[in-house]
């Protein structure tokens, strides 16, 4: 409410750049690459090559923009249902520009043992990213989600404006962890809605 956003908006940002990291380099940012549930975003763009997701067809771990259409009903039921009610200018900005973000659906009575990792890496200066993460946890289910932000070069300017929507059914347990290892010149305004 009282934060001066002039430094954030005074830089000329660009949206969506190119994917440029190799799998070898990505291992520095993932705490357990053997984990079958890792979504990787480079400069705001989902990398299916660097991501690893579970083959269990009862759960959904994917990107909002590339998910299987069979899950559209779930997305329509939950997407922007919480964030829209409590929107602020940066949530509205995220809604206008988001085209990527994690889509996680855990059905009723399911416990996911390994944490799910959402890894965001910036490789270029001047990038503006608006990831929108939608996590739905069914009744009596449990999941750990690690949302992390890194950059590959020191002192680069970029802006990240993530929105997290966590939809929890009765007796659902979500443990959310956030790691920020970003440039001192970077700006992030993160909105989380439960």
């Amino acid at each position: 409410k009282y934060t001066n956003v002039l430094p954030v908006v005074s830089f000329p940002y660009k949206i969506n750049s190119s994917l440029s990291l190799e799998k070898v380099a990505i291992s520095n940012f993932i705490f357990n690459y053997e984990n079958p549930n890792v979504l990787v975003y480079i400069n705001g763009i989902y990398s299916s090559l660097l991501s690893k997701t579970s083959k269990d067809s009862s759960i959904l771990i994917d990107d909002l923009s590339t998910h299987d259409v069979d899950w559209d009903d779930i997305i329509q039921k939950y997407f922007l249902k919480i964030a829209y009610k409590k929107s602020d200018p940066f949530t509205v900005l995220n809604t206008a520009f988001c085209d990527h973000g994690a889509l996680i659906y855990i059905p009723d009575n399911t416990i996911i043992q390994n944490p799910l990792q959402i890894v965001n890496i910036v490789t270029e200066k001047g990038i503006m990213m608006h990831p929108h993460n939608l996590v739905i946890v069914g009744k009596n289910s449990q999941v750990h989600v690690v949302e992390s932000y890194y950059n590959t070069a020191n002192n680069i300017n970029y802006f990240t404006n993530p929105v997290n929507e966590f939809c929890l059914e009765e007796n659902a347990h979500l443990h959310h962890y956030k790691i920020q290892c970003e440039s001192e010149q970077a700006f992030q305004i993160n909105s989380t809605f439960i």
Side-chain angles (χ1 to χ4, degrees), residues 26-33 35 38 40 50 117 119 150:
I26 200 75
S27 64
N28 296 329
F29 305 107
I30 297 174
F31 56 84
N32 180 3
Y33 203 73
N35 181 349
V38 179
V40 178
L50 298 175
Q117 298 178 66
V119 181
Y150 302 98

Side-chain angles (χ1 to χ4, degrees), residues 3 20 25 29-30 35 59 78 88 96 153 163 189 192:
T3 302
S20 61
F29 305 107
I30 297 174
N35 181 349
I59 64 174
Y78 292 101
D88 59 77
V163 168
I189 297 175
T192 299

Side-chain angles (χ1 to χ4, degrees), residues 32 115 125 134:
N32 180 3
K125 71 176 183 176
L134 177 60

Side-chain angles (χ1 to χ4, degrees), residues 68-179:
D68 189 317
V69 294
D70 292 341
W71 295 94
D72 279 350
D73 289 344
I74 294 288
I75 295 169
Q76 288 179 354
K77 182 177 178 182
Y78 292 101
F79 187 71
L80 286 177
K81 298 302 187 228
I82 303 170
Y84 184 73
K85 292 177 184 174
K86 304 173 185 175
S87 64
D88 59 77
F90 288 99
T91 301
V92 172
L93 184 66
N94 174 283
T95 302
F97 284 103
C98 89
D99 58 351
H100 290 283
L103 174 58
I104 298 169
Y105 172 75
I106 310 301
D108 294 349
N109 305 309
T110 304
I111 296 176
I112 305 298
Q113 296 296 330
N114 290 318
L116 309 180
Q117 298 178 66
I118 305 168
V119 181
N120 297 276
I121 303 169
V122 175
T123 64
E124 299 176 28
K125 71 176 183 176
I127 297 293
M128 177 171 58
M129 304 180 301
H130 300 277
H132 193 112
N133 301 315
L134 177 60
V135 179
I136 304 139
V137 185
K139 293 178 185 176
N140 305 310
S141 294
Q142 181 176 323
V143 65
H144 296 260
V145 175
V146 180
E147 174 189 11
S148 57
Y149 297 87
Y150 302 98
N151 69 291
T152 59
N154 290 329
N155 297 320
I156 58 173
N157 188 311
Y158 56 93
F159 173 50
T160 309
N161 180 29
V163 168
N164 294 310
E165 281 190 280
F166 298 140
C167 306
L168 307 176
E169 298 294 342
E170 182 182 341
N171 201 33
H173 296 273
L174 168 69
H175 302 271
H176 177 238
Y177 307 91
K178 184 173 173 188
I179 300 170

Side-chain angles (χ1 to χ4, degrees), residues 32-46:
N32 180 3
Y33 203 73
E34 299 307 313
N35 181 349
N37 301 312
V38 179
L39 296 171
V40 178
Y41 297 85
I42 309 295
N43 298 328
I45 301 172
Y46 175 66

Side-chain angles (χ1 to χ4, degrees), residues 45-61:
I45 301 172
Y46 175 66
S47 171
S48 59
L49 253 148
L50 298 175
S51 298
K52 293 172 63 177
T53 57
S54 174
K55 303 300 180 208
D56 183 345
S57 62
S58 68
I59 64 174
L60 173 64
I61 302 167

